[in-house]
DNA sequence: GCAATAGTGTCTATGAGACACTATCGG
DNA sequence: CCGATAGTGTCTCATAGACACTATTGC
């Protein structure tokens, strides 16, 4: 395998001749979000090599030569978390939502060479403990607020996290914003919940992702009134504190009508 | 310049070593939309070479070795249409909206080799006549309905267009769906209008993009009542038929609150 | 005059948010 | 008993949509 880095300008390149092209590496990076202890958390891995050695980064890796982008993202997700991604809403046991987020390809985003990264967004329930190829403490869930507010408000704590490697802070920010807006008009918030969940658990997901407090009574009336959002799970009770709550599963609807509106008006 | 196509599986590849990677070509493809004669139209170019020779395709080209993805898309847009893209809402004269759409990288999407295409969406006013490097009739505006409905309802017409090359029909479909949903909650519909426009012209944009009829009175009350959407242009009249209409410019708001809701409930 | 588009007023149904109230558990 | 959470009813306000009505042009 011989690859010589393209450094000089290509002058005789036909606009549609792919046999003469600047070489790129293509990777997938993952923004894996979950809700833990009432906070929105992202999966980060510690880098073992330069550049950014020792810093936290989003999990990711190279796309293989015969692999689709979504397949590469699903493979990385399985390698890092054991989660099995499912797009077309199959009620698999350990399934997480996975979708393409955006692509980042600034020329200097990786100081070693030209890397274009197709970022994906995954939403997962709390259950799985992170594992990175057997290395336990090189992967962890970190609250997104701490990861993104690295230049404010953490000086006194000593637990001030370093900024994420590469442009991963921007990617994470874009992923979080996508999740925040998408649970408004889609049923994606159920991807943060286990297969069966209560209305209160779903409400705590919305509160954690949006960072607001919601009225439990209005929330209950709203989600149970939106057709196709929730279906009663037959099973009826569980304990979270007070009166037993009804258990639900995600309904078939993917788009919510009417949408769940984020307060802030 | 020596590049050997990666064909065998990489076995000794460190997960973060970008000096050993499968080689990819990275391109940008453009979904350029405009509204002409009350129909949503897309810019397509005729392919002069195999594969898909003679078929229509979305404009696009290779990303250069030292070029950002958005810069490559803006360059291609300028080459094909003469439009100057502006993201941060600068009121430039010939400015069009440009944003990243999605990335397509199925292994066999280009039969010649592995190409990953970062599709972008551009919205432009009607004015410009298409030009493709001086070759006049190799680029044209085509109604998106005709481009996407190639397998239905056109058999009697004789003007049945062939399907778009590569996976461009899917890319175009995704771009159209993005435009349709985004003009609901953002002020992007003004990107289809010239610098000064009337409420009626803006309404015809919504009607063409959504393919529905809207009540002119309610539409007028709604858009003029949404803060920051439209600002009166001082200049007051123009002729479109009946009573003179007030001229407006796009206001500073990018997100509409309340949103313009698409009928269909 | 008529036809066309621009723009305003008004009514009604619906939904969001505030909040009183009841239900059912663990202590 | 109390405190917690679950779930329902009701009131008020804002807004979408339907549509009558007026305003101002060209013909």
């Amino acid at each position: 395998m011989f690859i010589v880095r393209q450094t000089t300008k290509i002058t005789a390149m036909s606009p549609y001749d792919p046999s003469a092209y600047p070489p790129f590496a293509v990777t997938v990076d993952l923004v894996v979000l979950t809700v833990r202890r009432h906070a929105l958390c992202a999966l980060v891995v510690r880098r073992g090599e330069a550049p950014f050695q020792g810093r936290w980064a989003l999990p990711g890796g190279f796309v293989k030569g015969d692999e689709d982008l979504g397949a590469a993202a699903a493979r990385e997700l399985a390698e890092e978390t054991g989660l099995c991604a499912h797009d077309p809403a199959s009620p698999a046991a350990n399934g997480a939502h996975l979708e393409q987020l955006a692509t980042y390809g600034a020329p200097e985003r990786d100081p070693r060479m030209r890397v274009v990264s197709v970022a994906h967004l995954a939403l997962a329930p709390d259950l799985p403990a992170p594992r990175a190829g057997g290395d336990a403490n090189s992967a962890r869930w970190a609250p997104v607020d701490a990861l993104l507010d690295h230049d404010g408000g953490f000086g006194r704590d000593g637990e001030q996290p370093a900024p994420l490697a590469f442009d991963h802070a921007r990617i994470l920010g874009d992923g979080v914003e996508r999740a925040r807006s998408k649970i408004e008009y889609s049923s994606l918030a159920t991807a943060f919940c286990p297969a069966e969940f209560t209305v209160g658990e779903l409400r705590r997901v919305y509160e954690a992702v949006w960072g607001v407090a919601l009225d439990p009574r209005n929330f209950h009336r709203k989600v149970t009134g939106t057709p196709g959002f929730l279906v009663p799970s037959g099973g009826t009770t569980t304990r979270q504190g007070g009166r037993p709550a009804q258990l639900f599963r995600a309904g078939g609807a993917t788009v919510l009508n009417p949408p769940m509106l984020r307060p802030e008006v």
Side-chain angles (χ1 to χ4, degrees), chain A:
Chain A
M1 164 172 163
F2 300 159
I3 295 179
V4 173
R5 173 74 185 279
Q6 169 70 33
T7 53
T8 59
K9 210 176 187 60
I10 297 179
T11 55
M13 193 174 84
S14 163
Y16 286 104
D17 178 10
S19 63
Y21 65 92
F24 287 79
V26 176
T27 63
V28 291
D29 285 329
L30 290 179
V31 177
V32 190
L33 300 180
T34 195
V35 174
R36 315 191 85 199
R37 290 177 287 119
H38 215 239
L40 183 64
C41 295
L43 182 65
V44 287
V45 298
R46 196 186 288 278
R47 284 187 56 80
E49 313 149 21
F52 300 101
Q53 186 168 11
R55 295 262 285 277
W56 295 102
L58 299 178
F62 287 90
V63 177
K64 295 183 176 172
D66 57 350
E67 191 178 42
D68 196 2
L69 301 176
R75 171 177 55 78
E76 293 286 342
L77 181 65
E79 289 175 3
E80 303 282 351
T81 68
L83 287 166
C84 157
H86 61 88
D87 286 69
S90 64
N94 234 5
H97 172 83
L98 181 62
E99 66 177 46
Q100 194 185 107
L101 177 59
T103 300
Y104 302 83
E108 301 301 331
R109 63 181 294 275
D110 188 318
R112 293 163 296 182
M113 73 161 315
R114 189 69 197 271
V115 178
V116 167
S117 179
V118 183
H120 288 250
L121 175 66
L123 310 183
D126 188 5
L127 310 169
R131 61 175 175 98
D135 192 348
N137 64 359
S138 71
R140 62 181 275 243
W141 295 105
V144 297
D145 291 342
L147 291 172
L148 294 176
D149 291 2
H150 57 77
D151 46 11
F154 264 85
R156 44 167 168 68
D157 203 346
E159 182 62 75
Q160 150 102 327
L164 289 174
F166 303 108
D167 53 358
H168 288 187
R170 187 181 157 212
I171 299 176
L172 174 62
D174 291 347
V176 169
E177 185 46 43
R178 173 92 132 243
R180 285 203 236 256
S181 72
K182 209 154 181 187
I183 64 173
E184 280 194 272
Y185 54 88
S186 81
S187 63
L188 266 187
T190 60
F192 287 114
C193 296
E196 294 195 337
F197 52 90
T198 67
V199 173
E201 288 162 358
L202 184 63
R203 175 173 47 83
R204 277 178 277 276
V205 163
Y206 274 92
E207 290 177 331
V209 175
W210 285 344
V212 299
L214 301 174
D215 185 294
R217 294 99 67 172
N218 290 332
F219 183 86
H220 187 284
R221 190 158 27 83
K222 179 118 201 215
V223 295
T224 55
T226 298
F229 194 5
L230 302 181
V231 293
S233 164
T236 46
T237 61
T238 189
R239 243 113 281 174
Q240 172 91 18
R243 164 178 169 181
Q246 212 176 346
L247 283 173
F248 292 90
R249 295 180 175 279
T254 59
V255 51
L256 300 185
N257 200 326
M260 305 288 303
L261 287 180
R262 186 165 14 172
E264 167 260 343
V265 189

